[in-house]
Amino acid sequence: MRILVINGPNLNMLGIREPDIYGKRTFHDLEESILAWAEEIGLDAELYQSNHEGDIVDRIQGALGRFDGILINPAAYTHTSVAILDALKAVGLPVCEVHLSDISGREEFRRFSYVSLYAGKTIAGKGFEGYREGLAWLRDRIGAGAP
Ligand code: DQA
């Protein structure tokens, strides 16, 4: 099973960026954890990070026929991007949305997620661990043959 893991804008600044909210571990630490967790449960994960909305849309479109599912932290685009939502709907793969912080308990503008309108599951507020949970959810969902 092949999973595309997408991290959106400013997540490459983990470790430096607002450590009180996002923690002190770096983006490199996160990527290493994701690869190790994927391997543990028999998933082949490809990692992608971008600060650019259109590049993320291109990457989602390119997942068609190449991946079995998508794990995505759209970061700030969560709350603004109809284009990312539409791209996810267009490819029709199982999607799990993940956020490091609890977006429901922060500023009002973070409470709405466009991606949640399509994602089969949303995990928020569990830090790095949320990615592990998201990978496991995708493995079970794809294994069960669900779209
Ligand atoms: C985030 C939450 C978003 O509101 C924010 O813009 C991010 C990161 C998270 O992982 O908690 O950049 O997606």
Side-chain angles (χ1 to χ4, degrees), residues 9 11 17 22 73 75-76 78-79 98-101 103 106 110:
L11 289 167
R17 159 187 202 207
Y22 299 112
N73 183 345
T78 305
H79 321 293
V98 63
H99 300 282
L100 295 160
S101 66
I103 51 174
R106 297 181 60 193
R110 294 188 203 273

Side-chain angles (χ1 to χ4, degrees), residues 23-76:
K24 289 191 177 143
R25 283 183 292 171
T26 65
F27 185 63
H28 179 70
D29 295 337
L30 175 63
E31 290 203 316
E32 286 206 320
S33 299
I34 294 169
L35 289 176
W37 289 329
E39 200 183 322
E40 256 172 45
I41 60 171
L43 295 176
D44 182 4
E46 185 171 305
L47 307 179
Y48 179 68
Q49 191 277 331
S50 174
N51 295 323
H52 306 279
E53 184 176 18
D55 290 343
I56 294 172
V57 168
D58 286 345
R59 201 63 178 226
I60 293 168
Q61 289 182 8
L64 193 59
R66 290 191 56 225
F67 291 92
D68 303 300
I70 298 175
L71 179 63
I72 183 167
N73 183 345

Side-chain angles (χ1 to χ4, degrees), residues 113-125:
S113 163
Y114 282 99
V115 170
S116 287
L117 300 177
Y118 176 75
K121 187 167 177 70
T122 298
I123 300 163

